[in-house]
Amino acid sequence: MNNKVRFRFLIVLMTISIIGIIGVQLFWMYTSLENNKEQFKYNVLQVLNGVGKTLENNELTDFYKEYSEMAKKSTTPPTKNVAREFKYIKRDFNTNQEIIYSNTLFQEDYNVKKNYFDKGLDTSSIYRYSSKRKTEIVDKKFIDNFGFDDGKSKSQVIENEGYLDAYDIANFNVNYRDIVALKPISDRIDTEELAGILKEELKKYGLSTDFEFCVYSKNLPTKVKSEDFLYNKDNTYAAPIFFNNDNQTNFQLLVSFPDKNEFLFSSLLGLSLLSILFTMIIIGTYYSAITQLKNQKEISEIKSDFINNMTHEFKTPIATINLALDSIKNPKIFSDSEKVHRYLGLIKEENKRMLAQVNNVLQISRLEKQEAVIEKEPFDVHELIQDGVDHVKLLVEDRQGKVSLDLQALESEVNLNQTHFTSIMVNLLDNAIKYSPEAPVINVKTFNDAPGSITIQVSDKGQGMSKTALKRVFEQFYREHTGNLHNVKGHGLGLAYVKRIVEDLNGQISVESEKGKGSTFTIKMPLI
């Protein structure tokens, strides 16, 4: 597996991992929200069932109290009828003791009719129950063998009498349901009281959110409801209330929660924000790691290209120098002074060429470390442009090309460094020559498009650049990939040097290019 395939594999693996993490987080949030919905529904139904029982108990209690007060105020003595009698006897032969327990249940009729509560009911009485309990302990030590008391036996009697509240409530529970069954629901429930009970019970279960309620009778809304109640299938819950003696009912208590979703999500908000934060950190770290990997990969490729290009750049002059030296050693050549001088000149030019390449690398390094100080003084830009053109004139003529000057700028005096600015122009013109497959056609133009500045454009009709190369053309050591072809010499430092010098001279440089149609480099410099 080569480096490129391994790099792509790592990218795919990391991307799948990130997507998986995000998927797990989303699934967790969805599951938590669904669990909260189920818990919310369970709690609400518990509240509704509890409120229904509270309403029934309150109604029964009020009814029972009302009847008890009427019974107490009745001037007619209650009629007592024995409803049931229970007796329990226990004898201990060791101590000759006998315990007699008796309980007599009386039915008391206070002559309070059902129609007292509701005129539409029948006139049969409502009864109240009381009990008389007696415990008698008889000591029979002194009873003779024939069962006759000799008058010396002892006994102890404990008597209790009272009302049977639990029994009465159970009895009234049956009676009151028959009595209130025909009452309108609005007479049985107070709307404000119901709202208060609901609020208190919901608060106990931690459901502190806005709610609306309504009591339905036979699936139709009644007057017992809050002002803003609206039925919504997703946000409304119901529970039956007011069961009759047959354990059936026509009434339902419905409660709606308009802000249910916001309330449910608010409980997850803290953890969700943390989850999102950590996920964003992971994504940011992932992006940074991918960028670093990509940069390292590009640096590695650039380094490899730079080494290859520098090898080719130095290989030719070294080979030329070696051939020239070998030729000079030849006795026939050595005796020909004209040829010796020509070969020595060739050696000097090739040596100068290698030295210029080394100086370019060193100059870029010094500029990066801010060790180089660029001294500026006023110059006419047009004169320096003409000097740059003169430097490449022979190269252009050798390629049968042409450099045209269109110096339209009326103001052209700028604070510059003569050497560096001339190098800028030479670099731009040299690139235009090298990257023109046919005879180079170059145009240098100047104009004042804005007050206080001058614009310089160097245009060619060469091979142009791709969009990718256009974005990175000013990076150090960058050269557009041409496979294993090295038909254009260079090491990717020229334009990086140009950009750095222009910026140090307080100028700006940009480029426009289209593949197969040429390139235009634009420099803007401030005037004095």
Side-chain angles (χ1 to χ4, degrees):
M1 185 183 293
N2 59 39
N3 291 334
K4 185 176 290 186
V5 174
R6 186 182 295 109
F7 179 75
R8 289 177 179 174
F9 176 74
L10 289 175
I11 295 292
V12 171
L13 190 63
M14 292 173 69
T15 303
I16 292 173
S17 299
I18 290 294
I19 294 173
I21 290 172
I22 295 173
V24 169
Q25 294 291 341
L26 292 175
F27 177 75
W28 172 81
M29 292 175 66
Y30 172 78
T31 304
S32 298
L33 188 61
E34 290 300 313
N35 289 338
N36 280 5
K37 286 182 180 179
E38 289 299 319
Q39 186 63 40
F40 183 85
K41 179 181 179 181
Y42 174 79
N43 289 340
V44 170
L45 292 179
Q46 289 290 102
V47 168
L48 293 182
N49 289 328
V51 170
K53 291 179 181 178
T54 300
L55 292 174
E56 291 183 11
N57 291 337
N58 289 347
E59 186 178 49
L60 173 60
T61 301
D62 292 341
F63 185 84
Y64 183 76
K65 286 180 179 178
E66 186 178 1
Y67 173 79
S68 297
E69 289 298 322
M70 288 187 295
K72 288 179 182 178
K73 294 177 182 179
S74 176
T75 56
T76 306
T79 302
K80 284 190 176 184
N81 299 313
V82 176
R84 182 177 296 177
E85 186 174 17
F86 174 79
K87 182 175 285 189
Y88 174 77
I89 301 173
K90 181 181 178 182
R91 182 175 296 169
D92 190 340
F93 292 99
N94 293 326
T95 60
N96 211 16
Q97 274 189 341
E98 189 176 81
I99 300 173
I100 303 171
Y101 172 79
S102 64
N103 187 350
T104 305
L105 184 65
F106 295 96
Q107 186 185 71
E108 297 183 358
D109 186 0
Y110 285 87
N111 201 28
V112 178
K113 308 297 182 181
K114 289 183 181 178
N115 59 7
Y116 181 87
F117 300 98
D118 194 326
K119 300 300 181 183
L121 301 176
D122 58 45
T123 59
S124 61
S125 297
I126 298 177
Y127 304 103
R128 188 175 185 182
Y129 293 87
S130 64
S131 69
K132 185 175 182 181
R133 300 176 297 279
K134 183 172 70 171
T135 303
E136 183 178 2
I137 303 173
V138 180
D139 190 351
K140 294 193 173 185
K141 290 190 294 182
F142 305 102
I143 297 177
D144 60 19
N145 294 330
F146 298 101
F148 294 104
D149 190 349
D150 60 1
K152 296 180 180 181
S153 61
K154 297 179 180 180
S155 65
Q156 182 181 358
V157 179
I158 301 173
E159 291 185 337
N160 290 298
E161 186 172 353
Y163 292 105
L164 300 176
D165 290 341
Y167 192 88
D168 285 343
I169 291 175
N171 179 58
F172 272 82
N173 193 28
V174 175
N175 286 281
Y176 106 94
R177 285 179 176 175
D178 290 336
I179 293 172
V180 300
L182 299 178
K183 282 188 176 183
I185 193 65
S186 56
D187 292 343
R188 302 179 66 180
I189 300 178
D190 182 85
T191 304
E192 293 184 4
E193 180 184 3
L194 176 56
I197 295 172
L198 280 170
K199 185 175 181 180
E200 183 178 351
E201 290 298 318
L202 288 170
K203 188 175 181 181
K204 288 180 182 178
Y205 280 83
L207 306 177
S208 301
T209 182
D210 294 337
F211 66 92
E212 305 293 335
F213 64 90
C214 180
V215 175
Y216 273 50
S217 175
K218 296 181 180 178
N219 296 322
L220 294 175
T222 66
K223 295 180 180 179
V224 183
K225 65 176 182 177
S226 56
E227 294 181 1
D228 300 323
F229 176 82
L230 287 174
Y231 178 81
N232 183 294
K233 182 180 179 181
D234 295 329
N235 299 336
T236 304
Y237 302 90
I241 58 173
F242 292 138
F243 287 91
N244 57 27
N245 288 319
D246 297 325
N247 202 31
Q248 296 178 351
T249 182
N250 294 324
F251 302 105
Q252 281 187 311
L253 174 60
L254 280 72
V255 178
S256 178
F257 298 90
D259 303 326
K260 170 190 167 183
N261 291 332
E262 291 82 351
F263 173 76
L264 291 176
F265 190 74
S266 65
S267 61
L268 297 174
L269 186 60
L271 291 175
S272 297
L273 288 177
L274 283 176
S275 176
I276 292 171
L277 175 63
F278 291 141
T279 302
M280 293 302 295
I281 290 173
I282 291 172
I283 293 174
T285 306
Y286 165 76
Y287 178 78
S288 177
I290 293 299
T291 303
Q292 291 295 326
L293 285 172
K294 185 178 179 182
N295 289 340
Q296 290 297 323
K297 180 175 177 290
E298 290 173 353
I299 289 171
S300 178
E301 291 176 351
I302 289 171
K303 178 183 175 182
S304 178
D305 288 345
F306 174 72
I307 292 172
N308 291 334
N309 290 327
M310 288 297 289
T311 300
H312 281 270
E313 288 290 326
F314 284 120
K315 185 177 180 180
T316 301
I318 290 172
T320 303
I321 291 171
N322 285 332
L323 287 172
L325 289 173
D326 290 338
S327 298
I328 292 174
K329 289 179 181 179
N330 191 317
K332 294 181 180 180
I333 301 296
F334 188 76
S335 59
D336 189 343
S337 59
E338 184 180 348
K339 288 184 178 180
V340 169
H341 282 291
R342 185 161 64 87
Y343 284 129
L344 288 176
L346 183 62
I347 291 171
K348 184 178 180 180
E349 288 298 323
E350 292 299 323
N351 187 63
K352 186 192 289 185
R353 178 179 165 190
M354 287 191 295
L355 183 61
Q357 291 171 352
V358 172
N359 284 336
N360 271 341
V361 175
L362 293 175
Q363 186 68 26
I364 286 290
S365 177
R366 291 180 65 192
L367 288 171
E368 286 295 326
K369 294 178 180 178
Q370 297 182 346
E371 293 177 356
V373 178
I374 299 178
E375 296 180 358
K376 306 173 189 176
E377 53 184 312
F379 280 97
D380 188 342
V381 170
H382 291 165
E383 292 181 5
L384 299 183
I385 291 173
Q386 186 63 59
D387 288 344
V389 172
D390 290 341
H391 274 79
V392 299
K393 187 175 182 180
L394 292 176
L395 292 175
V396 174
E397 290 177 354
D398 186 58
R399 295 277 308 277
Q400 300 178 351
K402 179 183 178 183
V403 178
S404 59
L405 296 177
D406 185 12
L407 308 179
Q408 299 178 9
L410 300 178
E411 298 181 39
S412 58
E413 194 171 9
V414 181
N415 270 332
L416 297 173
N417 181 285
Q418 182 180 8
T419 302
H420 284 299
F421 190 79
T422 303
S423 295
I424 288 173
M425 295 306 301
V426 170
N427 267 285
L428 294 178
L429 292 168
D430 186 52
N431 275 350
I433 295 168
K434 288 192 297 185
Y435 290 99
S436 294
E438 307 295 334
V441 177
I442 304 169
N443 180 55
V444 181
K445 181 179 181 181
T446 66
F447 52 89
N448 301 115
D449 61 337
S453 69
I454 183 172
T455 300
I456 306 161
Q457 287 185 338
V458 179
S459 304
D460 64 69
K461 297 182 179 180
Q463 66 187 36
M465 289 179 280
S466 65
K467 291 183 179 179
T468 302
L470 199 61
K471 294 177 182 178
R472 304 184 57 191
V473 69
F474 294 111
E475 293 181 14
Q476 290 184 30
F477 307 118
Y478 178 78
R479 297 188 73 205
E480 188 169 10
H481 292 294
T482 56
N484 293 322
L485 297 177
H486 297 276
N487 54 330
V488 178
K489 296 179 180 180
H491 39 73
L493 289 173
L495 290 177
Y497 166 78
V498 168
K499 180 178 175 63
R500 184 59 188 265
I501 295 297
V502 168
E503 290 177 349
D504 284 351
L505 294 174
N506 301 318
Q508 298 175 347
I509 185 168
S510 60
V511 61
E512 295 178 0
S513 183
E514 188 174 348
K515 198 74 172 174
K517 293 187 179 180
S519 304
T520 299
F521 287 87
T522 302
I523 299 174
K524 288 189 176 183
M525 304 287 292
L527 296 169
I528 295 177

